[in-house]
Amino acid sequence: MSSSTSSSGTGCPVLDPSGSALHEEAAALRAAGPAVLVELPGKVLAWSVTRHSVIQALTTDPRVSRDFRRHWPGAADAPEGWALAAVAFQDSFFNMYGEEHRKARGRIAPAFSPRRVELMRPQVQATADRLVAALGEVPPGAEVDLRQALSLPLTMTVICDLFGVPEEMREALGHAIDAVLDSTLGPAEALAAQGELHARISAFIAYKRSRPGPDLTTDLLLGDGNDGNDRNDGSGGSGGSGAPGPEPIPEPVLIGTMFAMIGAGYETAVNLITSAVQELLDHPEQLAAVRAGTVDWADVVEETLRLDGPVMHLPLRYALADLDLGEGVVIPQGDPIVIGFAAAGRDPQVHPSCPAEFDPARADKSHLAFGFGPHFCPGAHLARLEARIALATLFDRLPELAPARPGERPERIASIMVNGPARLDVVPRPAGAVPPPR
Ligand code: HEM
């Protein structure tokens, strides 16, 4: 076991809440067995699963649930102010099981089909154009944090436009989401962060109830099929057809669903874009291969998802029966399971050749970065579109873009759930570089 994975009073390896060595930790766990009992932040014990094949098996096994209410006997013992509570106890289809999950997910997922996502392309491109143009205006030699200047505003703008979040609410909502994903928070801070997020989303829902619009919140979440709102705007809204619409969603589930959509919609894609830019700046030969047409942006995006999936340990699933995984490992019924999605992409069983190396030209880039099975990420098409557009726009318009401190690995996000660089300092226009074309 690596030095980053130490043992506390429970005798189990402890996942480092700082997230500073997620891959090293995951590699040690993967080598130790098909599932390893670990201590999560808050001293909660769960079985960590980091092998590609075992993740696929458990995420499709009907004897594994995400429903903490029905299937986690230990839920009541989770500590007050648990740093992982916002995700593990999120009240939405994210934490539902079976038919209930299928129905609730079916209300939203079709809005992110490949066809619907393709319709979003012009808007994503326009946002990327605007942000990259601003980067092209910085003085020669000036440093910029690319995460703050491009990845974050791009993904936040796209998801907030879709759900109709007004401009003035976005920044605070983003901070509130960041805070609840910080695994290092103590109980008082975690409770405060969770309260803040709840308040921000409640305020947004109240706002939308009073000002419905042509957005997914209005159309998919607030509609009860009887809103008398005869929209005929091609948005697929629930009003106007005369047919009974879906059941109204209870307020707590509405809040959980908004967190699932907006949180998952930006906190993940922001890391995909930032990690991809970092890898290309660290590997100029790979950037040259893209420019020469040997590999394309889609290859870069898939390879980044394989190498550095933005979601690492996702809490939680629960065993509905004793699960015998072989090698003498049995997960007992009722025990929680934490899946390490980003670990699968570096599994040497799947990628025997240099799994920790960035190589967009490799033939097999298979990964489980978007999950697997019934909870597979509904936002995968959108995330891929955003990342491809962001990279193409950035590197086409700013051909001289350079790392501010070549070779320096930026600090990581303080989370066991979110995997990515906390910042990425770049120089959009190195001194002496030719200005970008207007
Ligand atoms: C690079 C970007 C993204 C990554 C790596 C990612 C990753 C994941 C993963 C691993 C899961 C599976 C969770 C599980 O099985 O426990 C998931 C589910 C989910 N993702 Fe994403 N995601 C990304 C982007 C997005 C976007 C853009 C959206 C919103 C449009 C989104 C919304 C969701 C939702 C709502 C779920 C829950 C689905 C369910 O439980 O049925 N994600 N995502």
Side-chain angles (χ1 to χ4, degrees):
M1 193 95 4
S2 82
S3 56
S4 61
T5 311
S6 55
S7 179
S8 86
T10 60
C12 298
V14 180
L15 292 190
D16 174 6
S18 79
S20 60
L22 286 176
H23 282 300
E24 290 81 349
E25 212 169 52
L29 292 167
R30 200 168 43 226
V36 178
L37 196 60
V38 298
E39 189 182 308
L40 303 175
K43 296 196 187 306
V44 172
L45 299 186
W47 292 89
S48 162
V49 176
T50 45
R51 293 184 185 171
H52 192 287
S53 60
V54 187
I55 294 175
Q56 283 188 319
L58 292 188
T59 49
T60 48
D61 191 329
R63 297 170 304 161
V64 175
S65 166
R66 287 206 62 127
D67 187 334
F68 58 91
R69 288 206 176 81
R70 282 194 288 162
H71 300 133
W72 188 20
D77 303 327
E80 176 80 355
W82 185 29
L84 308 186
V87 175
F89 294 152
Q90 187 194 112
D91 223 340
S92 77
F93 62 96
F94 184 80
N95 282 327
M96 288 178 189
Y97 170 71
E99 185 55 18
E100 187 189 19
H101 167 256
R102 202 190 58 75
K103 258 180 81 180
R105 176 184 162 112
R107 188 161 176 163
I108 291 182
F112 295 92
S113 69
R115 191 180 59 82
R116 295 284 189 94
V117 166
E118 197 45 44
L119 297 175
M120 300 173 199
R121 180 183 289 277
Q123 182 226 349
V124 177
Q125 183 66 64
T127 306
D129 287 345
R130 175 172 60 75
L131 295 166
V132 172
L135 281 172
E137 298 292 326
V138 302
E143 275 182 38
V144 174
D145 174 5
L146 190 98
R147 183 184 166 88
Q148 290 296 330
L150 176 64
S151 328
L152 199 148
L154 175 67
T155 53
M156 196 60 167
T157 302
V158 171
I159 200 77
C160 286
D161 283 355
L162 276 173
F163 281 92
V165 181
E167 287 285 348
E168 65 275 16
M169 289 189 174
R170 294 181 182 187
E171 196 178 339
L173 186 58
H175 289 312
I177 293 170
D178 289 344
V180 297
L181 295 170
D182 183 340
S183 312
T184 65
L185 298 188
E189 296 164 307
L191 276 179
Q194 289 154 21
E196 172 75 8
L197 178 64
H198 191 279
R200 296 276 168 203
I201 298 182
S202 298
F204 164 62
I205 290 171
Y207 173 94
K208 270 287 107 177
R209 284 197 199 284
S210 63
R211 295 177 197 72
D215 55 65
L216 294 182
T217 308
T218 305
D219 286 343
L220 302 180
L221 300 177
L222 298 181
D224 58 5
N226 198 14
D227 59 4
N229 196 351
D230 257 324
R231 278 185 301 277
N232 186 18
D233 56 9
S235 65
S238 57
S241 69
E247 295 280 301
I249 302 177
E251 192 75 9
V253 181
L254 209 46
I255 291 175
T257 307
M258 287 314 308
F259 172 45
M261 297 312 303
I262 298 179
Y266 103 94
E267 193 76 44
T268 50
V270 69
N271 290 305
L272 172 59
I273 296 169
T274 312
S275 294
V277 174
Q278 184 193 344
E279 291 299 339
L280 288 168
L281 293 179
D282 284 354
H283 298 91
E285 75 288 359
Q286 303 291 2
L287 183 55
V290 182
R291 291 194 163 129
T294 325
V295 291
D296 60 23
W297 291 117
D299 292 319
V300 170
V301 171
E302 290 316 298
E303 177 64 350
T304 308
L305 286 163
R306 183 199 68 76
L307 182 74
D308 242 337
V311 178
M312 184 53 95
H313 303 289
L314 201 65
L316 280 172
R317 285 172 157 77
Y318 314 98
L320 302 186
D322 290 353
L323 303 172
D324 187 345
L325 302 183
E327 300 179 40
V329 175
V330 177
I331 301 182
Q333 177 180 3
D335 271 16
I337 300 166
V338 62
I339 303 279
F341 288 107
R346 296 191 184 197
D347 187 339
Q349 287 290 327
V350 180
H351 301 289
S353 169
C354 307
E357 238 166 63
F358 179 70
D359 177 12
R362 73 172 71 224
D364 180 4
K365 294 187 267 291
S366 51
H367 60 75
L368 300 176
F370 290 120
F372 198 71
H375 289 269
F376 182 83
C377 178
H381 303 295
L382 176 59
R384 285 180 165 122
L385 180 84
E386 288 174 338
R388 289 173 196 172
I389 288 179
L391 295 173
T393 310
L394 179 70
F395 286 101
D396 284 356
R397 309 272 167 82
L398 298 175
E400 307 289 339
L401 181 80
R405 279 166 291 284
E408 189 180 293
R409 297 292 288 178
E411 203 181 302
R412 310 294 293 179
I413 290 170
S415 178
I416 64 160
M417 300 174 266
V418 184
N419 174 43
R423 55 184 299 123
L424 182 61
D425 294 328
V426 297
V427 181
R429 297 174 59 206
V434 182
R438 289 205 161 253

